[in-house]
Amino acid sequence: MRPFTYERAADLAQASRLGLETGQGQTDARVQFLAGGTTLIDLMKLDVLRPERVVDITPLRSPYATIEAGPNGLRLGALAKMSTVAEHPAVLADYPAISQSLQLAASAQLRNMATLGGNVLQRTRCPYYRDPSWMACNKRTPGSGCAAIAGFNRNHAVLGVDRSCISQYPGDFGVALVALDAQIELSGPQGQRRIAFASLHRPVEGQPHIETTLMPGEVITAFQVTAGGWARRSLYLKVRDRASYEFAIASAAVALEMDGEIVRQARIGLGGMAYRPWRAHEAEAVLTGKPLTEASAEAAAAAALGGAVTHGNNAYKPELGRRTLVRALMQAKTMPVATRKDC
Ligand code: FAD
Ligand code: SF4
């Protein structure tokens, strides 16, 4: 690990001021925020991230780690621990996809340490990105090429990729957030703003080293999800190579508003398939207004994976993604859902 300066942020304004020196893409950022450290320290040890200054934002925990659940929705502080949110009674009851996406991620030790804000900003697990002895990685070194395209790409993405990068977004929670139309609150040198979570991660567009739309110095302070019947009838299904402590090779977050057999609204996120947390609008359009059957679920899944592009080892992924989505939809249809007067 290279030498760096460590500073503790006394408040949000100080964190943003220190963070203002961050470069545009996070990969080459000279300043990094330290939350749980489970991504950051890992990548510093691997010499992938090389910040000159690490700004510890854990002193901000008490105001920015709260969980508020009410009739209008859920607000999760960005410094809340993954495990705390996963086990919160209101999240378990009314936003099961969120609880499951956190519960199925990483290990118990990691979930006890890692925060929500750090989770959505975790980096790809592409082995060529994580090992600087590989020269060709456009995400780590812009313009150097992509070793994965002709290399070992079994776990790489099939949606939202281009020739500059085929890496997969590895997180689970972000897939649930994108399906549930979450918003995020940001605080930075220019003040506070709220954006759709779906617009946090940039499309690749030949610039994989610029991963998010965060402005220099901006801190994620909270996540918001609106309450609704579809949020209660939501689930997160994760498929992985082993039953625990493993990243998704396919996953689906599904939220349905049903009127008997008819789908009034469908919200679908896909994980393990795409460059960034992926919203499957095409699949939603296929389902809306129709009875949910095995056949309509298969048609929706075909639409979701219609644009898949494979590169050899990951040729199995579109079929796995389709089957995962069909299974998630059929499980969501029959899951028990408590009715509430307040929604
Ligand atoms: P940190 O490491 O502290 O920060 C990560 C990044 O986010 C840094 O760039 C930091 O500057 C930035 N940052 C942190 N907080 C903020 C904020 N509030 N505002 C702005 N920037 C911020 N994840 C899954 O989803 N599913 C898995 O199956 C899974 N398995 C894992 C297995 C292993 C072995 C490991 C090591 C990790 C795994 N993870 C998995 C990833 C893990 O969930 C993330 O490392 C963790 O959530 C990151 O949170 P953190 O608080 O530790 O972030
Ligand atoms: Fe780098 Fe992306 Fe290619 Fe992996 S897939 S080597 S992260 S450019």
Side-chain angles (χ1 to χ4, degrees), residues 41-202:
I41 304 300
D42 226 9
L43 291 176
M44 286 171 68
K45 285 187 191 162
L46 292 171
D47 205 26
V48 174
L49 294 181
R50 302 169 179 177
E52 292 164 18
R53 178 191 269 167
V54 170
V55 179
D56 187 348
I57 55 173
T58 56
L60 313 181
R61 187 159 284 150
S62 77
Y64 298 105
T66 53
I67 301 172
E68 298 160 41
N72 297 326
L74 179 68
R75 186 171 179 279
L76 303 169
L79 282 160
K81 298 288 176 71
M82 290 171 69
S83 53
T84 312
V85 177
E87 290 152 18
H88 191 280
V91 181
L92 277 162
D94 293 339
Y95 307 88
I98 290 185
S99 170
Q100 291 156 8
S101 70
L102 292 166
Q103 198 67 53
L104 293 170
S107 65
Q109 291 91 336
L110 284 159
R111 294 192 295 271
N112 284 339
M113 192 71 198
T115 65
L116 301 187
N119 183 280
V120 297
L121 295 178
Q122 65 180 285
R123 309 304 204 274
T124 180
R125 309 303 289 193
C126 172
Y128 304 105
Y129 169 76
R130 290 173 62 83
D131 180 353
S133 69
W134 289 93
M135 303 306 282
C137 175
N138 288 322
K139 193 179 275 298
R140 198 169 15 82
T141 312
S144 61
C146 172
I149 286 189
F152 182 66
N153 50 42
R154 177 181 179 271
N155 292 336
H156 285 66
V158 296
L159 294 171
V161 295
D162 68 15
R163 296 292 297 171
S164 68
C165 181
I166 59 168
S167 68
Q168 174 193 310
Y169 177 77
D172 297 298
F173 175 54
V175 178
L177 290 178
V178 84
L180 295 178
D181 279 326
Q183 302 264 309
I184 55 174
E185 295 174 21
L186 305 169
S187 179
Q190 270 85 44
Q192 300 183 344
R193 63 184 180 122
R194 203 162 87 154
I195 62 169
F197 175 75
S199 63
L200 174 66
H201 294 90
R202 283 171 39 94

